[in-house]
Amino acid sequence: MSGVLKLVKSDAAGGVILIIAAALAILLANLDSTAVGYQSFLNWQPHSSAAGNAHPLTTLFWVNDVLMVFFFLQVGLEVKRELISGALASRQQALFPLIAALGGMLAPALIFLLFTRHSSEGQSGWAIPTATDIAFALGILALLGNRVPVAIKVFLMALAVIDDLGAIVIIALFYSGSPNVAALAMAVAVIVVMAVMNRCGVRSRIAWLVAGAALWYVVLLSGIHATLAGVILGMMMPVRGEGSNSAAARLTHQLEPWVRWLILPLFAFANAGVVLKGLSVGDMLSALPLGIMAGLLIGKPLGITLVCWLSARLGITRLPVSTRISDIAAVGVLCGIGFTMSVFIATLAYGQQGGALINEAKLGILGGSILSALCGYCLLRYRYSR
């Protein structure tokens, strides 16, 4: 029984559930007997009303625009915790993973743009291979057990947190619609109220969640992607003064099982259903999926390793204790697992442009993420088994 509980609480178990959910979605989307039912499930809505007269209340809307807010809230809380008292608390601690994350976002984007240089529609997804999936990456690392040095685990966690923060900024700047100025002004007003709540030391989780719900609604109306409200709420909640008893710490603890076991698997199930019918071998080997795969599998480790090596040689940063550049390169390969955030960006980039592009993009994400996971695991296992 204790072994089962240990497995359930491990990072690896969360990654396995995501893989199962994604595989089930692909299976259902391509079987003749279930494909129509799968699409009907995603497009089902209880009635014809719409949020803000623009967002049909389909199952996909509830998963991507409502439930994923809680995932982004958890990301915001994690980022703030790391900035206040964790791996990003000091300039010296934050600089190395920050530089690594920047290199890990720039190189994949450039490689993707190189592959898709002849397709203006395809190039709109340039940010797809820039993301790292924290759940998957830490899950693969957990499979290696205690043989991996603590410094490497901290580096991966800090890099993934900064990477997610960078992806959130990219979504806000490049993948949001034309803003509704009135709704945007209301969102700013709610954020000001949150700042006052933080300043006054409001600790009630209910009060914060009510403010977060108000922010989500006005952000949804503004044209900016509503999930950003979760990040803002997480960054605004107080974390000082009460340690593990703070409102943010308690909310993080309560969110974690819901996000791991329900929200992320639902997201994977709703968004990983690549329809392979109609896709030829030429489509699968076209510029878009190959660009994403190359960006994840080659661009991520190349960008991370190159900027880390260069910054260390120039004396700007120092490698983590007891690590070599080969360790950083192996972790860089693992960072090519971009499943959750990459699929999320792909739906924003190609969701309105037809099924072919989004299917090719998801195919590239799945292929690149699986190869990165396998290669990263093998490299780290070889490295630390010696």
Side-chain angles (χ1 to χ4, degrees):
M1 186 64 178
S2 61
V4 174
L5 291 174
K6 184 177 180 181
L7 176 64
V8 167
K9 293 180 179 179
S10 71
D11 290 317
V16 170
I17 294 298
L18 280 178
I19 293 173
I20 293 172
L24 181 61
I26 295 172
L27 182 66
L28 294 178
N30 289 281
L31 289 177
D32 291 334
S33 58
T34 57
V36 174
Y38 175 74
Q39 293 298 329
S40 298
F41 167 74
L42 297 182
N43 296 317
W44 179 82
Q45 52 182 322
H47 46 76
S48 60
S49 62
N53 297 319
H55 303 276
L57 302 181
T58 61
T59 302
L60 202 59
F61 170 82
W62 285 104
V63 172
N64 288 353
D65 291 70
V66 180
L67 289 181
M68 282 298 284
V69 174
F70 294 98
F71 166 72
F72 280 91
L73 170 58
Q74 187 185 38
V75 170
L77 291 169
E78 291 287 351
V79 169
K80 186 163 186 179
R81 186 185 70 177
E82 297 297 329
L83 288 170
I84 297 298
S85 59
L88 307 176
S90 69
R91 178 183 175 277
Q92 189 64 34
Q93 286 176 296
L95 189 57
F96 188 73
L98 174 62
I99 288 176
L102 291 175
M105 288 188 284
L106 182 61
L110 291 176
I111 288 177
F112 177 85
L113 290 173
L114 181 64
F115 270 81
T116 59
R117 61 188 181 278
H118 299 303
S119 171
S120 57
E121 285 186 337
Q123 287 201 326
S124 63
W126 62 269
I128 294 172
T130 64
T132 297
D133 191 302
I134 294 180
F136 265 130
L138 292 180
I140 297 298
L141 203 63
L143 293 175
L144 296 166
N146 294 328
R147 71 184 73 185
V148 179
V150 174
I152 288 296
K153 294 180 180 178
V154 172
F155 170 69
L156 176 60
M157 179 64 185
L159 191 157
V161 167
I162 296 172
D163 211 40
D164 269 3
L165 191 59
I168 290 163
V169 172
I170 288 172
I171 291 171
L173 294 178
F174 300 100
Y175 294 102
S176 294
S178 300
N180 179 317
V181 177
L184 202 58
M186 288 189 287
V188 172
V190 176
I191 293 172
V192 171
V193 171
M194 287 182 171
V196 173
M197 290 170 63
N198 184 303
R199 186 71 176 174
C200 295
V202 175
R203 298 288 186 264
S204 170
R205 284 169 294 169
I206 299 299
W208 280 103
L209 289 176
V210 169
L215 180 63
W216 173 85
Y217 183 70
V218 293
V219 169
L220 180 68
L221 296 181
S222 73
I224 298 173
H225 204 274
T227 50
L228 297 178
V231 181
I232 297 170
L233 175 60
M235 296 294 287
M236 296 299 292
M237 289 187 72
V239 298
R240 293 183 183 273
E242 297 181 20
S244 60
N245 291 320
S246 68
R250 283 179 286 143
L251 185 57
T252 302
H253 181 71
Q254 291 175 335
L255 279 176
E256 198 274 336
W258 290 99
V259 170
R260 177 183 292 190
W261 302 114
L262 177 65
I263 294 173
L264 288 182
L266 266 177
F267 175 81
F269 179 76
N271 291 278
V274 182
V275 180
L276 299 177
K277 287 184 177 180
L279 286 178
S280 64
V281 175
D283 293 327
M284 296 179 185
L285 298 178
S286 63
L288 180 59
L290 287 181
I292 293 173
M293 290 177 65
L296 291 171
L297 185 61
I298 300 172
K300 269 289 183 183
L302 179 64
I304 290 170
T305 306
L306 187 60
V307 298
C308 287
W309 175 81
L310 189 60
S311 65
R313 287 295 299 266
L314 295 176
I316 299 172
T317 62
R318 291 183 297 178
L319 294 176
V321 178
S322 302
T323 62
R324 303 172 64 181
I325 197 65
S326 56
D327 300 308
I328 302 301
V331 172
V333 175
L334 205 59
C335 288
I337 307 172
F339 181 74
T340 303
M341 197 66 82
S342 292
V343 170
F344 192 82
I345 294 174
T347 59
L348 297 178
Y350 303 131
Q352 305 299 322
Q353 298 183 32
L357 285 178
I358 189 67
N359 282 330
E360 289 178 16
K362 289 178 180 178
L363 198 64
I365 292 167
L366 291 171
S369 296
I370 291 170
L371 288 174
S372 295
L374 292 174
C375 294
Y377 174 81
C378 292
L379 286 172
L380 287 167
R381 185 177 177 83
Y382 173 77
R383 171 69 180 153
Y384 295 118
S385 64
R386 299 173 61 188

